[in-house]
Amino acid sequence: MDTSTEYTPHAEAIAELFTATFTASDGAEEGALVGCLARRLIAETPAEDLRVVTAWEEGTLVGGLFFTRLTYPNDPRRVFLMAPVAVATAHQGKGIGQRLIAHGLDLLRQEGVDIAVTYGDPAFYGRVGFKPVTEADMPAPQPLNLPQGWIAQSLTDAPLTPLPGPARCVAAFDDPALW
Ligand SMILES: CC(C)(COP(=O)(O)OP(=O)(O)OC[C@H]1O[C@@H](n2cnc3c(N)ncnc32)[C@H](O)[C@@H]1OP(=O)(O)O)[C@@H](O)C(=O)NCCC(=O)NCCS
């Protein structure tokens, strides 16, 4: 598996990966929603607030994930949201997802990011270090439909102590339908 953090030349392929993967796992409506999110994240997010990490096998895009900045104006720590994450349906279950996430978290660590948070299945993301957090300890930028899916980890030696709200996400995520 090769990885890349370049996204501009691959924007359409990345959006297609997310559309197809989520259509297969969650239906056409979810596929369209997440594909549109991927497109908007790339088109509208300032580079300093966006990291895209992709996985490739023999020149084919097989996985991808987005990190976008979450801003807590009342706390100096740097926080990134990891979402969405996709591994192409035909390539799932081979460890690509966990390797891609571990690699992405390492890149954030290397640039001094303090905390990663995501919103998904704790059973899967627990394998790569995420643990449940409450909205009281770590406010989300929108009300959460599935608060049990709000999970985070410290990327430094410091323990994950509560973050004071409010929290702000990038524009493409500012849609209650995504939370
Ligand atoms: C979730 C996803 C990214 C995992 O990628 P992957 O490459 O298949 O994952 P890995 O091969 O590293 O790990 C697979 C393991 O995780 C488990 N797993 C995968 N998705 C899971 C989920 N939603 N909940 C619990 N476990 C899950 C698999 O059962 C497998 O377990 P096993 O090793 O005991 O057999 C991928 O399956 C995917 O894109 N799914 C559809 C879209 C999605 O749900 N994205 C995440 C939400 S943003």
Side-chain angles (χ1 to χ4, degrees), residues 21-22 25-26 84-88 91-99 119 121 123-125 127:
T21 304
F22 279 83
S25 65
D26 293 81
V85 180
V87 171
H91 295 266
Q92 290 174 7
K94 298 191 290 184
I96 293 172
Q98 290 171 72
R99 289 207 300 276
Y119 186 42
D121 192 325
F124 176 67
Y125 291 107
R127 294 177 179 218

Side-chain angles (χ1 to χ4, degrees), residues 105-179:
L105 294 172
D106 270 346
L107 294 177
L108 290 188
R109 224 175 256 121
Q110 281 163 27
E111 59 168 293
V113 173
D114 296 284
I115 295 167
V117 59
T118 190
Y119 186 42
D121 192 325
F124 176 67
Y125 291 107
R127 294 177 179 218
V128 283
F130 289 90
K131 296 198 171 65
V133 283
T134 64
E135 287 170 90
D137 281 351
M138 191 162 177
Q142 292 271 349
L144 301 176
N145 286 313
L146 293 166
Q148 66 274 22
W150 192 232
I151 48 185
Q153 65 178 292
S154 170
L155 298 177
T156 68
D157 292 337
L160 186 56
T161 53
L163 280 154
R168 240 185 9 243
C169 56
V170 299
F173 263 114
D174 227 352
D175 173 357
L178 297 168
W179 298 89

